[in-house]
């Protein structure tokens, strides 16, 4: 079983590469949640995520023969970059297998750190199966993304930093994918501060941890579907499950809407960019996925910031919808002069700003004497959005809310 001594030894090995990342109190989120909320900004870590900690610890413990043969791993992106950088620093050849649909930014970054990248499978688990095939065929050492006590010890160095920087904490909230991060963090914290509560968070579309803990064995889900690709695994690990069963107090889930909202609020309120997986801990606090007291000192781990820019726009748009700051509607108009101007004047009176307009009179679904108007509007909040719809309906328009 993973021990505090293992994690302390890991800190000595990784300290030359992994940064001691900031832990800052957020006034904005403390006011929103009622908790005394602190953010562990691991998105500022080298490679943009915590994975460099575990990868570096594992590479540093390779035998000379293993170094000569090289390593192989599978990853959705963050572990890939960690292994690539750690192997490059140690002069070890690394092959990384990533899912075909891994974010382009993560694929390019992994190659940039010096690893050979192969794209195989539709998700992490299929990529992992191919990586194990290379392990056998090329006699490489497989560096597991989470289910390895040495990797878990490296991730646990984040927990040591939390205790150092916030010794009076009551609760720490940590994302769960395969369980490597929360296992290391939980041991690092509980072995020093046993009364601290450790809460794990999974995305609703990749929630295997609670099922596994309830069953007492690793339980694999059929598929994953979440914007939090960094924690999109079908199951936790055998080793991580053992640690979680002993050290983790509670596991909760958040959905993609809550993740998108947390990510967008981080951008707006604290000017901090995270990926979907990096937002789940804050999402759990803001959505009250678990109970906490007013004034309770809570640390939320923002575990990574490697979001693909193509996905960022989509996620932020979802977040704005959740905040009531974006409204997309369709209206059926009579196909006659002045109707578009009439609608525009109503929208203008409400104070909304128009993002986009699409006026269609040729669709099969539109009557011959009618037109369909689609509007994308910038709004102040949910109440403002409702006022716009009410104003249009009061003028006799049938409004369909798209988002």
């Amino acid at each position: 079983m993973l021990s505090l001594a293992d994690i302390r030894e890991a800190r000595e090995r990784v300290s030359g590469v992994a940064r001691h990342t900031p832990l800052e109190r957020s006034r904005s989120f403390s006011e929103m949640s009622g908790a005394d909320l602190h953010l562990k900004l691991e998105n500022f870590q080298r490679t943009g995520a915590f994975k460099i900690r575990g990868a570096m610890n594992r590479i540093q413990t390779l035998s000379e023969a293993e170094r000569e043969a090289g390593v192989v791993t599978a990853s959705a992106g963050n572990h890939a970059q960690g292994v690539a950088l750690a192997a490059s620093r140690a002069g070890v050849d690394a092959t990384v297998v990533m899912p075909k649909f891994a974010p382009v930014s993560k694929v390019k970054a992994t190659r940039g750190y010096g690893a050979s990248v192969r794209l195989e499978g539709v998700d992490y688990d299929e990529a992992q199966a191919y990586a194990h095939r290379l392990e056998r065929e090329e006699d490489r050492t497989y560096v597991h993304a989470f289910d390895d006590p040495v990797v878990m010890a490296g991730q646990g160095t984040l927990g040591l930093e939390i205790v150092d920087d916030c010794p009076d904490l009551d609760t720490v909230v940590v994302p769960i994918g395969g369980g490597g991060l929360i296992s290391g963090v939980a041991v690092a914290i509980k072995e020093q501060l046993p009364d601290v509560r450790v809460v794990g968070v999974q995305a609703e579309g990749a929630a295997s941890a609670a099922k596994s803990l309830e069953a007492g064995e690793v339980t694999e889900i059929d598929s994953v579907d979440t914007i939090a690709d960094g924690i999109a695994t079908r199951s936790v690990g055998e080793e991580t499950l053992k640690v979680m069963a002993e050290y983790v107090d509670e596991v909760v889930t958040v959905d993609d809407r809550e993740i998108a909202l947390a990510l967008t609020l981080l951008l707006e309120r604290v000017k901090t960019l995270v990926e979907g997986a990096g937002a789940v801990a804050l999402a759990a606090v803001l959505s009250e996925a678990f109970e906490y007291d007013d004034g309770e000192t809570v640390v939320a781990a923002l575990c990574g910031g490697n979001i693909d820019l193509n996905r960022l726009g989509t996620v932020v748009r979802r977040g704005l919808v959740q905040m009531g700051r974006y409204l997309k509607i369709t209206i059926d108009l009579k196909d006659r002069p002045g109707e578009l101007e009439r609608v525009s004047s109503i929208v203008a009176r409400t104070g909304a700003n128009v993002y986009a307009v699409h006026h269609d009179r040729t669709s099969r679904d539109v009557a011959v004497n009618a037109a369909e108007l689609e509007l994308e509007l910038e709004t102040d909040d949910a109440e403002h959005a409702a006022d716009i719809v009410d104003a249009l309906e009061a003028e006799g328009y049938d409004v369909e809310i798209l988002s």
Side-chain angles (χ1 to χ4, degrees), residues 328-331 333 340 354-363 371-376:
K328 186 175 182 180
I329 58 176
T330 60
I331 305 168
L333 303 180
L340 180 57
V354 178
Y355 275 128
V357 176
H358 180 67
H359 186 263
D360 184 7
R361 58 160 59 94
T362 60
S363 172
E372 182 181 78
L373 178 65
E374 182 178 284
L375 293 174
E376 296 180 50

Side-chain angles (χ1 to χ4, degrees), residues 101 103 226-229 307-316:
F101 305 111
T226 174
I227 62 174
D229 57 272
I307 187 167
D308 187 84
L309 291 180
N310 291 325
R311 172 166 286 189
L312 178 60
T314 301
V315 174
V316 169

Side-chain angles (χ1 to χ4, degrees), residues 125 146 176-179 201-224 226 231-238 240-241 244 251-253:
D125 296 271
F146 51 85
I176 302 177
V201 188
Q202 287 203 297
E204 189 176 80
S208 63
K211 293 179 181 179
S212 297
L213 288 167
E214 183 178 354
E217 61 182 8
V218 173
T219 302
E220 184 174 302
I221 58 178
D222 294 332
S223 61
V224 294
T226 174
I231 54 173
T233 59
R234 293 185 197 170
S235 70
V236 296
E238 296 281 354
T240 60
L241 181 61
M244 286 191 289
V251 174
V252 299
T253 61

Side-chain angles (χ1 to χ4, degrees), residues 285-303:
V285 177
L286 297 181
S287 66
E288 298 183 351
F290 63 95
E291 294 183 1
Y292 52 86
D293 296 329
D294 287 345
E296 181 174 333
T297 301
V298 177
V299 173
L302 309 186
C303 65

Side-chain angles (χ1 to χ4, degrees), residues 17 47 51-60 67 71 80-92 94 113:
V17 175
T47 74
K51 291 287 191 176
I52 183 61
R53 298 173 183 269
M56 194 67 195
N57 196 43
R58 185 68 184 89
I59 295 296
Q60 288 293 317
R67 286 171 178 262
V71 298
Q81 293 172 71
V83 170
L85 177 58
S88 176
R89 291 288 295 264
V92 174
Y113 286 124

Side-chain angles (χ1 to χ4, degrees), residues 131-189:
H132 280 305
R133 174 181 159 188
L134 294 180
E135 174 192 11
R136 295 187 297 271
E137 292 176 352
E138 300 180 6
D139 196 30
R140 292 175 177 265
T141 296
Y142 185 80
V143 181
H144 203 287
F146 51 85
D147 204 27
D148 179 339
V150 179
V151 172
M152 292 153 61
Q155 320 303 26
T157 60
L158 186 148
L160 297 180
E161 293 175 12
I162 291 175
V163 172
D164 289 345
D165 296 340
C166 189
D168 297 326
L169 81 159
D170 298 307
T171 298
V172 62
V173 191
V174 185
I176 302 177
L181 177 63
I182 196 169
S183 294
V185 169
V187 171
I189 291 177

Side-chain angles (χ1 to χ4, degrees), residues 58-111:
R58 185 68 184 89
I59 295 296
Q60 288 293 317
T61 57
L62 292 174
S63 68
E64 191 58 40
E66 290 171 330
R67 286 171 178 262
E68 288 292 327
V71 298
V72 63
T73 193
S75 170
N78 288 334
H79 178 64
Q81 293 172 71
V83 170
L85 177 58
S88 176
R89 291 288 295 264
V92 174
D93 184 70
T95 296
V96 177
V97 184
M98 303 176 74
K100 292 178 181 178
F101 305 111
V104 173
S105 59
K106 294 184 178 181
V107 174
K108 288 184 175 180
T110 302
R111 288 181 172 138

